[in-house]
Amino acid sequence: MTELHVMDANFFISLAQTRERDAMERVLELADGIGWEMHVTEPILEEVKYVRCKGSMLTASKLAKRMMKVHPADDKTIASFRSELGGGHRAPQSPDLSLMVLADSLARSGTTVRLVSDDFKISTSSRELGEPYAVISPSVFLFSLSRELKGEDRKHVRHLYKKVRHGEMEYVLSRADMYNIEDKLTWLMDNLLQEVTSPDAGPAPVPGADATGPALVVEGKEENANWEALVLQLRVAQVLWLHILGCVHNIPNGAPLTDLRDVLWGIHKMADCGVWFGPMA
């Protein structure tokens, strides 16, 4: 099944901030080469009309017009979404709502849709509305793309993924004095872990998915499924702890946690590679 991706402004900005030459062009070309459809709305193009990567003569806006399907903002539906979310500061800004409306419209046809954004309000608002699409961060988009590639292309995109992921984490930590960052850090890590631990390169689970939907466990294999679920939870906990240790200097009275740094260092390398070698001794 074709995967459709709806791109937020921070996708372009995060790639530009890697300071890697022609990063946007290369990523878009590789995604297009494996058949991924990429979509964007006109308000987002306005936000990135001056964004460009090192060494490139093309702005993000021009690249998007060349390689993506550009959609006008659906002002009527945007107003409806804003009203459902309570309006004011409770709802995302209009450009972000235009992406949510577009992703909703594309997903209603039964196609797999992933909205690429590290905006936490987009994620929480999409979950609140029960939207039929997944929200993934730009770093997870890059990681997912790298899994579809081989050789130098895979190596290059994995390099970009690491730089973008580090940028996402640094940005969240830089705003620790403005809001509670725990929820967003957890979302960013869960977002990545859903992709890392998936046996396929499919989308992360849809936010707000109905727990009473089709069964995920084949009848007669409940015991194996329970063990697999337990192993997954342990892996998630290990990697979350690792990243907490990575920013321990920002945690009040967190110095004793550094005693665990050596124990979990191997997990860091496994998470970066997307490879798991089983439980540690």
Side-chain angles (χ1 to χ4, degrees):
M1 181 184 294
T2 301
E3 287 187 12
L4 307 185
H5 294 83
V6 177
M7 319 305 281
D8 194 359
N10 50 53
F11 164 77
F12 303 98
I13 294 170
S14 63
L15 282 172
Q17 290 176 339
T18 64
R19 303 295 297 165
E20 295 286 336
R21 184 173 295 274
D22 300 328
M24 276 187 288
E25 289 98 319
R26 190 66 184 134
V27 166
L28 294 178
E29 287 171 358
L30 290 171
D32 182 67
I34 63 172
W36 284 4
E37 285 188 20
M38 292 164 288
H39 299 251
V40 70
T41 59
E42 291 176 351
I44 298 301
L45 295 190
E46 184 65 21
E47 290 187 342
V48 299
K49 64 181 179 181
Y50 299 118
V51 175
R52 71 178 70 200
C53 282
K54 178 181 179 181
S56 176
M57 299 299 294
L58 295 175
T59 64
S61 182
K62 290 181 179 178
L63 277 171
K65 289 178 181 178
R66 175 186 297 181
M67 305 194 69
M68 298 182 180
K69 294 185 178 181
V70 181
H71 303 257
D74 183 344
D75 294 331
K76 183 177 180 180
T77 309
I78 287 174
S80 175
F81 274 34
R82 182 183 290 112
S83 178
E84 285 188 63
L85 291 167
H89 295 297
R90 293 200 70 249
Q93 296 181 348
S94 293
D96 297 332
L97 285 170
S98 74
L99 295 173
M100 293 171 59
V101 169
L102 174 59
D104 174 82
S105 175
L106 294 172
R108 296 293 175 183
S109 66
T111 305
T112 299
V113 176
R114 311 173 89 181
L115 199 168
V116 182
S117 175
D118 66 4
D119 189 317
F120 191 46
K121 185 173 281 189
I122 286 181
S123 176
T124 55
S125 297
S126 296
R127 185 180 301 111
E128 183 176 341
L129 294 175
E131 289 299 328
Y133 54 79
V135 181
I136 63 171
S137 68
S139 63
V140 170
F141 172 86
L142 293 170
F143 183 82
S144 181
L145 175 61
S146 74
R147 299 175 82 179
E148 299 289 338
L149 304 172
K150 297 180 180 179
E152 289 302 311
D153 289 338
R154 178 187 175 97
K155 182 178 178 181
H156 178 59
V157 174
R158 189 63 62 87
H159 171 69
L160 292 174
Y161 142 72
K162 292 179 181 179
K163 296 192 76 170
V164 169
R165 188 199 63 178
H166 292 159
E168 290 170 350
M169 294 295 181
E170 288 174 3
Y171 177 76
V172 174
L173 293 173
S174 73
R175 299 176 69 83
D177 60 337
M178 300 180 65
Y179 60 83
N180 186 340
I181 66 173
E182 181 180 352
D183 287 345
K184 182 165 183 178
L185 278 174
T186 300
W187 175 75
L188 283 172
M189 286 310 306
D190 283 347
N191 209 236
L192 173 60
L193 286 162
Q194 287 165 356
E195 192 71 25
V196 169
T197 58
S198 172
D200 303 309
V206 176
D210 184 358
T212 63
L216 298 178
V217 180
V218 178
E219 185 176 357
K221 297 186 178 181
E222 295 87 349
E223 183 176 347
N224 287 340
N226 289 338
W227 277 111
E228 290 170 2
L230 175 58
V231 170
L232 175 58
Q233 290 178 21
L234 291 173
R235 289 172 175 171
V236 169
Q238 286 174 322
V239 179
L240 284 174
W241 267 105
L242 175 76
H243 282 272
I244 289 173
L245 294 178
C247 56
V248 68
H249 58 281
N250 290 313
I251 302 175
N253 303 316
L257 294 175
T258 56
D259 293 340
L260 297 174
R261 192 186 302 272
D262 291 339
V263 176
L264 295 177
W265 180 246
I267 299 293
H268 176 60
K269 290 186 286 187
M270 285 187 273
D272 274 348
C273 296
V275 176
W276 298 95
F277 300 98
M280 298 178 66

